[in-house]
Amino acid sequence: MRPGNPEALQQPYDPSRVEARWYAFWEERGVFRPESSRPAGGGPSAQPFVIAIPPPNVTGSLTMGHLLGDSIRDLIVRWQRMEGRETLYIPGMDHAGIATQNVVEKKLREEGRSREQLGREDFVREVWAWKEQYGGLILRQLRRLGVTPDWSRERFTLDPDYSKAVAEAFRRLYERGLIYRGHYIVNWCPRCRTALSDEEVDKVETQGSLWFVRYPLKEGNASITVATTRPETMLGDVAVAVSPKDKRYAKLVGRTAVLPLVRREIPIIADDMVDPKFGTGAVKVTPAHDVNDFQTGKRHGLPELIVIDEDGRMNDKAGDFRGLDRFEARRRIVEALRDAGYLEKVEPHTYAIGHCSRCETIIEPYLSLQWFVKMAPLAAPAIEAARRGKVKFFPSRWKKVYLYWMENIRDWCISRQLWWGHRIPVWYRGDEIAVGLEAPAGDGWRQDEDVLDTWASSWLWPFATLGWPEQTPNLERFYPNSLMVTGSDIIFFWVARMIMAGFEFTGQAPFPHVYFTSIVRDGQGRKMSKSLGNSPDPLEMMERYGADAVRFTMIYLTPTGQDLLFDEKRLETGRFFANKIWNAAKLVQMRLGDEDLSRVKESALTLSLADRWILSRFANAVKDVTRNLKTYRFNEAANALYHFAWNEYCDWYLELAKPRWSDDIPQDDARAREDRRAARWVAWKVLDGILRLLHPFMPFVTEELWQALPHDGECLAQAAWPKAKKAWFDAEAERQIAFLQELVVAVRNLRAENNLPPGKRVPITVRGRDEQLALIAELDQPLRALARIELLTLARDGSRPAVAASAVVQGAEVFLPLEGLKDLDEERTRLTTQAAKLLDDLEGVRRKLRNQDFLTKARPEIVERERQRLAQLEETLEKLRRAQESLRVSAE
RNA sequence: GGGCGGGUAGCUCAGCUGGCAGAGCACCUGGAUCACAACCAGGGGGUCACAGGUUCAAGUCCUGUUCCGCCCACCA
């Protein structure tokens, strides 16, 4: 097929022109639909490749973190598609309960309205309106990045179908007795005014105080002193506890203390939870405001006295302190205790305080009626799966983190006191309870007021997006998914729970592999965040450097299993690389001639040494890139491709090819014309291969170039992934070209070290073995160009220039005459330094080879290699010395 | 308190199965050579955190120390 794009390749490369044009082209062709990559006649053995996007928050916009994750996912998706697998990439969004409600409430506040004013129904309507108008920005941004999910399958976690799945999951768990409702201490955010799961609480080490407060006994003058970090909760104290083993307090157990300030009488009890070594060994017990105390209270049948309300203010039970914010109350209470002589002392104390992961407000342990999922039964198969390798983590160390969490799992509080989300599918009528999405028949049913934790819907993502609970053809074909790619920061929130849900609801793991991406940090290693303002705007990055450059660079930079320290300047790597490929393609296009190379058979060509070399290197690159993709070493894959394309194909092959495809080749020189044809074909073939390999990294520029060159097929995005042809591997050609490369480098080096301008052509004499001289003769022309040689003399023996700089390459001597130069000191110094280094190396090798243990114990090929190295070093040194000698002589 | 990861060139990091320490950026020198100055050519730069050990051989494996980062954790 002839070039599809007649437009000349512009220069320099301008990503914005190219990137605007291809997305619609792919979309129109249906490239993103799984059917488009379904292999013809693909039987049941042809396993599809399925991956789901971690649904971004509907409120979200693209961050640098997304840029990495989405680049990696699309890299894999495009690669798998080119491998010929039926490929499905499922897009969608998360309704993100708290986050979204917060955003809309904030907007209302700015408008002087509130959700309470609106009421539940209108508020929810308001959020939907917001979603339609502003939501999903992130998905539109993903198009700019060039990612290719099947948009026709986009899902939202609040879609009717999805909501059905969520309610059904709840119902099944309820029927199995894995869901219960009860009064327990939960993590409460007084600002969001909702319960949270343990995972939604960030613990922050904080320098606080330990207050020692004296509680007088009811009878006598004695007292007992407790230590507390939260004096304000003393208003809710219902007991003082000591360790049953603690002799100091043994005779106080059973007696009654009087709570200071409020003068309430409370018992002194013994309980094992008390550590006699901490504080005074006596603990105030506040069942309504502390998890431990709650359990102690249950054990001893103590009342639960709530003194802080859901806004974090002291309530009516708090007497004089009622209405105060909890921290203000703390100050006042400490003050009052001090004034009344109850405060014994204050010690500095460091401890971890929980903060709301959404709004940073300090969490209040709060006694309330909530819904919970019993997790241990769900964890069991998920633990088993990880242990047996049914689910594998990359990097593997996450397995340990996952298992530790799973094995110590606690029940999950899933009710949220919000309005935006899946309303809990439970209905009440008097003492009756019914579970289901719809109200049961009959009057008087009232639905639970709360909604579900967002993660209690997204944990169904891998199968609810495919139609579960219905046994749809999609579910049948595309479940389980093939891979999950996400950040390790949501391993517990989401990954672990998806695995549990997979087993619980579908009887199998939702995916066999989980790849965790790097966390993107700024140059100083700080996590990128909106509040710090240290995250560059991804859209701006794409405008400035191109989406291709951003994608490539992020992948090129991401270390396996390590954080990624991002610096905008690094994006130049990708931009320059795109430009390099662009220019290489321009050169090749200019030199291809009129023949349609995509129809030329390799077998009809006579390949030169350089051709065989680059095809061999290309086969190696294909192997390398593919292997690194398979093992999730994406940076290595990018690296291998970068270096092959730039340092081998561009730096050497194209240079070697240039003289061969000159326009000046006479009509009647059949051999030269044949050779030109081979060079054209190989240059095109390898470039075509590079574009294919590079396409998943840089989809836009590669599609543009591929279309502009001879190509087979209509669309690079649907072209086949290159194969490393066995016949192309050619160790001999690689060895031979390596020699010539060393030779060229040696000449350039001699020139530079002796201050000869790089442009000046110099006469060079090479003395070496027949084979070496033959090789040089074979590539005579390109060598002259590469090393800027004007006259290349090959000498098997004796003859050498009288005054010359010299180097030794694999035993061959290279001479560069220095007759015209007065000062030979530079060359002398150079030779001396080189000889000294050589001598060092030589000594090392000799020491090794003198070592009997090395000779007997090292693998034979290692010993052999050292022997050869010794011989070569000796030969080189010898020749270097002769060169030194000749310079000395000539100086006299 | 428990666990995990890291410390390699000025900076950011590769280094996979133990076998001649690497890349990009930065720096220095030279260069308008007809794909590319977003380029090309050449160069300097290392106590592989520290201390032991295993091994013929250690950046790589083991032990300890130290510094940095992260995660988990109901001592009030």
Side-chain angles (χ1 to χ4, degrees):
Chain A
M1 190 165 298
R2 291 296 306 144
N5 174 14
E7 183 183 344
L9 299 176
Q10 303 275 315
Q11 184 265 319
Y13 170 57
D14 175 9
S16 59
R17 289 166 38 88
V18 168
E19 293 180 1
R21 110 165 104 220
W22 292 107
Y23 200 84
F25 172 81
W26 295 321
E27 210 168 3
E28 278 157 26
R29 292 187 50 82
V31 169
F32 312 163
R33 291 203 311 268
E35 305 84 65
S36 75
S37 55
R38 181 178 297 162
S45 63
Q47 272 298 313
F49 179 84
V50 186
I51 187 169
I53 194 170
N57 287 359
V58 60
T59 54
S61 61
L62 216 54
T63 65
M64 295 307 291
H66 289 117
L67 227 45
L68 175 63
D70 287 304
S71 295
I72 288 176
R73 271 185 297 276
D74 199 53
L75 164 70
I76 299 170
V77 162
R78 284 180 181 270
W79 162 52
Q80 286 298 310
R81 201 177 275 137
M82 291 175 79
E83 288 276 18
R85 285 177 78 179
E86 180 179 3
T87 299
L88 172 59
Y89 183 8
I90 305 166
M93 275 188 301
D94 193 311
H95 68 280
I98 301 185
T100 310
Q101 178 156 331
N102 280 350
V103 166
V104 177
E105 279 196 79
K106 184 165 174 240
K107 173 177 166 271
L108 288 178
R109 244 191 334 272
E110 281 159 8
E111 297 165 0
R113 300 191 289 166
S114 76
R115 85 167 146 126
E116 287 78 10
Q117 276 169 21
L118 284 176
R120 182 169 195 145
E121 218 170 296
D122 284 347
F123 176 76
V124 169
R125 202 172 295 133
E126 191 82 19
V127 183
W128 276 107
W130 183 93
K131 186 234 171 198
E132 294 314 317
Q133 197 175 351
Y134 306 106
L137 169 67
I138 194 164
L139 296 185
R140 295 193 290 280
Q141 293 174 324
L142 287 181
R143 291 174 141 89
R144 175 70 185 87
L145 188 62
V147 308
T148 55
D150 182 355
W151 292 112
S152 70
R153 295 168 191 257
E154 184 178 334
R155 289 288 180 277
F156 183 50
T157 49
L158 273 179
D159 283 343
D161 282 2
Y162 201 101
S163 298
K164 236 160 84 184
V166 172
E168 174 62 13
F170 186 99
R171 195 189 61 77
R172 290 193 189 183
L173 290 176
Y174 184 83
E175 312 253 290
R176 278 198 46 184
L178 295 181
I179 283 195
Y180 61 92
R181 191 190 198 204
H183 281 96
Y184 293 92
I185 299 264
V186 293
N187 304 297
W188 184 268
C189 174
R191 202 213 60 84
C192 302
R193 273 199 277 157
T194 180
L196 301 171
S197 65
D198 294 337
E199 287 68 40
E200 288 165 297
V201 175
D202 298 332
K203 298 278 178 72
V204 182
E205 285 270 325
T206 308
Q207 181 64 248
S209 301
L210 194 57
W211 284 273
F212 290 74
V213 184
R214 196 167 54 82
Y215 287 11
L217 296 191
K218 183 182 172 193
E219 280 140 23
N221 293 325
S223 64
I224 186 164
T225 301
V226 299
T228 179
T229 55
R230 300 203 52 198
E232 69 278 13
T233 63
M234 68 163 287
L235 302 179
D237 282 3
V238 296
V240 171
V242 297
S243 167
K245 297 185 206 77
D246 197 333
K247 295 203 180 75
R248 293 173 298 172
Y249 296 119
K251 55 182 187 300
L252 294 185
V253 174
R255 297 187 59 184
T256 301
V258 179
L259 205 53
L261 307 184
V262 291
R263 307 201 164 280
R264 192 151 44 71
E265 294 181 6
I266 54 177
I268 297 172
I269 60 173
D271 192 283
D272 276 325
M273 73 97 169
V274 181
D275 173 4
K277 290 191 282 297
F278 187 87
T280 61
V283 188
K284 62 195 263 322
V285 179
T286 324
H289 295 287
D290 183 279
V291 183
N292 272 318
D293 293 2
F294 178 76
Q295 281 154 6
T296 308
K298 285 279 183 232
R299 282 195 292 271
H300 295 267
L302 299 168
E304 288 146 2
L305 184 58
I306 298 175
V307 294
I308 302 174
D309 70 13
E310 58 176 32
D311 292 326
R313 295 179 176 280
M314 307 312 288
N315 68 11
D316 291 348
K317 302 265 169 50
D320 296 344
F321 303 96
R322 114 168 49 92
L324 293 179
D325 173 80
R326 51 195 166 143
F327 299 110
E328 178 59 18
R330 176 182 298 175
R331 276 187 292 277
R332 300 271 193 94
I333 286 169
V334 167
E335 212 172 293
L337 288 170
R338 185 179 284 127
D339 290 348
Y342 293 113
L343 187 65
E344 213 155 74
K345 60 173 174 174
V346 186
E347 281 180 0
H349 181 62
T350 305
Y351 63 121
I353 301 180
H355 292 69
C356 172
S357 61
R358 277 286 145 210
C359 70
E360 320 247 295
T361 302
I362 291 178
I363 289 301
E364 188 63 38
Y366 185 65
L367 181 63
S368 52
L369 183 59
Q370 305 286 351
W371 286 96
F372 297 86
V373 180
K374 215 180 274 183
M375 297 305 277
L378 298 182
I383 290 169
E384 187 70 4
R387 287 218 184 105
R388 298 175 140 213
K390 297 263 177 225
V391 178
K392 284 206 180 83
F393 298 96
F394 300 87
S396 60
R397 65 187 153 84
W398 291 105
K399 175 177 171 180
K400 221 172 160 176
V401 177
Y402 167 93
L403 282 177
Y404 183 83
W405 184 81
M406 276 284 183
E407 284 160 358
N408 296 281
I409 201 160
R410 286 181 284 173
D411 286 355
W412 177 15
C413 173
I414 51 167
S415 44
R416 295 290 177 274
Q417 288 63 51
L418 304 172
W419 289 346
W420 176 245
H422 301 274
R423 196 143 167 193
I424 289 180
V426 175
W427 305 80
Y428 309 96
R429 185 168 70 180
D431 289 343
E432 291 176 277
I433 281 196
V435 174
L437 188 57
E438 307 291 335
D443 291 332
W445 289 97
R446 185 180 50 79
Q447 186 169 13
D448 196 294
E449 292 293 323
D450 291 346
V451 301
L452 289 167
D453 181 2
T454 296
W455 301 101
S457 61
S458 49
W459 73 330
L460 311 175
W461 191 248
F463 45 89
T465 48
L466 294 169
W468 185 91
E470 310 304 326
Q471 265 306 313
T472 61
N474 275 327
L475 190 63
E476 191 113 334
R477 175 112 189 104
F478 299 121
Y479 187 80
N481 299 175
S482 313
L483 172 67
M484 171 53 57
V485 174
T486 189
S488 55
D489 50 337
I490 51 175
I491 182 170
F492 306 135
F493 275 119
W494 195 47
V495 177
R497 286 175 183 153
M498 274 190 291
I499 294 169
M500 290 188 279
F503 282 103
E504 177 65 18
F505 301 116
T506 72
Q508 53 185 326
F511 30 69
H513 287 183
V514 182
Y515 172 83
F516 289 111
T517 57
S518 304
I519 294 170
V520 181
R521 299 177 179 280
D522 71 6
Q524 286 112 62
R526 298 173 306 179
K527 199 165 170 173
M528 290 200 169
S529 74
K530 274 180 214 155
S531 50
L532 266 177
N534 60 346
S535 178
D537 175 5
L539 269 291
E540 209 179 301
M541 296 300 105
M542 287 193 271
E543 285 320 308
R544 220 174 301 163
Y545 297 88
D548 283 333
V550 172
R551 288 172 64 125
F552 182 85
T553 307
M554 295 307 282
I555 294 166
Y556 180 83
L557 286 182
T558 187
T560 28
Q562 237 61 262
D563 294 350
L564 187 165
L565 266 55
F566 178 82
D567 181 340
E568 184 183 328
K569 185 158 171 49
R570 303 299 300 270
L571 292 176
E572 288 187 343
T573 306
R575 188 168 114 209
F576 293 175
F577 186 43
N579 188 53
K580 186 70 181 180
I581 296 294
W582 180 265
N583 280 298
K586 201 171 98 177
L587 170 68
V588 172
Q589 191 196 36
M590 275 163 37
R591 301 298 173 150
L592 284 185
D594 296 329
E595 189 177 9
D596 181 357
L597 293 170
S598 66
R599 298 197 177 178
V600 173
K601 287 265 182 318
E602 182 185 345
S603 55
L605 299 166
T606 310
L607 299 182
S608 75
L609 172 58
D611 296 335
R612 283 179 280 122
W613 169 75
I614 197 66
L615 287 173
S616 180
R617 296 306 302 153
F618 174 65
N620 266 302
V622 170
K623 219 177 80 180
D624 244 31
V625 172
T626 309
R627 183 179 50 109
N628 281 312
L629 288 178
K630 275 185 185 148
T631 49
Y632 305 113
R633 286 199 289 254
F634 305 116
N635 58 334
E636 295 287 330
N639 213 10
L641 191 44
Y642 181 91
H643 282 108
F644 171 71
W646 199 311
N647 302 121
E648 303 200 89
Y649 181 72
C650 290
D651 286 353
W652 290 97
Y653 182 76
L654 291 182
E655 295 303 329
L656 289 169
K658 273 178 185 173
R660 299 165 61 199
W661 56 34
S662 155
D663 293 328
D664 306 335
I665 292 171
Q667 278 295 333
D668 55 356
D669 190 341
R671 257 190 72 182
R673 295 174 62 81
E674 260 313 294
D675 185 56
R676 180 173 69 187
R677 196 159 167 252
R680 281 172 170 170
W681 184 83
V682 172
W684 164 75
K685 187 71 186 172
V686 175
L687 177 60
D688 175 86
I690 289 171
L691 293 175
R692 286 169 196 253
L693 292 175
L694 192 55
H695 179 71
F697 299 84
M698 293 188 159
F700 297 106
V701 68
T702 50
E703 182 77 67
E704 172 88 9
L705 293 174
W706 192 79
Q707 298 281 350
L709 291 162
H711 53 278
D712 202 355
E714 286 172 41
C715 174
L716 178 56
Q718 292 177 298
W721 190 251
K723 295 262 180 294
K725 267 199 204 172
K726 265 216 183 85
W728 282 350
F729 290 97
D730 189 337
E732 183 68 3
E734 293 203 20
R735 206 179 51 78
Q736 292 175 333
I737 292 287
F739 166 70
L740 295 171
Q741 287 176 321
E742 278 178 53
L743 187 78
V744 169
V745 169
V747 173
R748 286 169 175 168
N749 180 279
L750 285 178
R751 182 210 310 280
E753 296 282 326
N754 287 287
N755 299 320
L756 295 173
K760 184 172 192 273
R761 292 191 172 265
V762 292
I764 290 289
T765 302
V766 181
R767 197 163 66 172
R769 297 195 305 277
D770 287 348
E771 188 221 357
Q772 294 173 322
L773 299 184
L775 274 175
I776 294 168
E778 187 176 345
L779 290 178
D780 175 77
Q781 261 202 320
L783 284 180
R784 284 166 195 261
L786 282 166
R788 304 254 116 201
I789 294 166
E790 70 175 344
L791 179 69
L792 185 57
T793 313
L794 301 178
R796 279 175 61 186
D797 44 25
S799 68
R800 55 183 287 169
V803 185
S806 62
V808 184
V809 175
Q810 294 189 15
E813 289 166 285
V814 184
F815 300 103
L816 174 124
L818 293 175
E819 263 102 7
L821 295 163
K822 282 175 252 148
D823 186 9
L824 297 176
D825 283 348
E826 302 249 10
E827 177 63 7
R828 289 196 190 95
T829 313
R830 202 181 62 84
L831 288 176
T832 311
T833 321
Q834 224 173 50
K837 192 187 168 304
L838 227 48
L839 211 55
D840 261 11
D841 292 354
L842 201 56
E843 191 37 50
V845 178
R846 279 183 179 146
R847 206 178 312 123
K848 255 189 197 176
L849 288 170
R850 273 199 306 267
N851 184 342
Q852 208 48 48
D853 283 329
F854 174 72
L855 295 176
T856 51
K857 291 180 186 167
R859 291 203 312 276
E861 68 265 29
I862 301 289
V863 177
E864 182 50 30
R865 201 158 75 199
E866 289 302 311
R867 286 218 167 94
Q868 278 176 14
R869 196 163 160 241
L870 177 72
Q872 188 154 80
L873 284 171
E874 278 173 339
E875 187 186 2
T876 307
L877 188 63
E878 160 66 19
K879 286 172 178 166
L880 225 57
R881 286 209 162 120
R882 256 192 283 156
Q884 278 176 304
E885 181 65 15
S886 89
L887 275 189
R888 207 163 54 79
V889 169
S890 69
E892 282 162 3

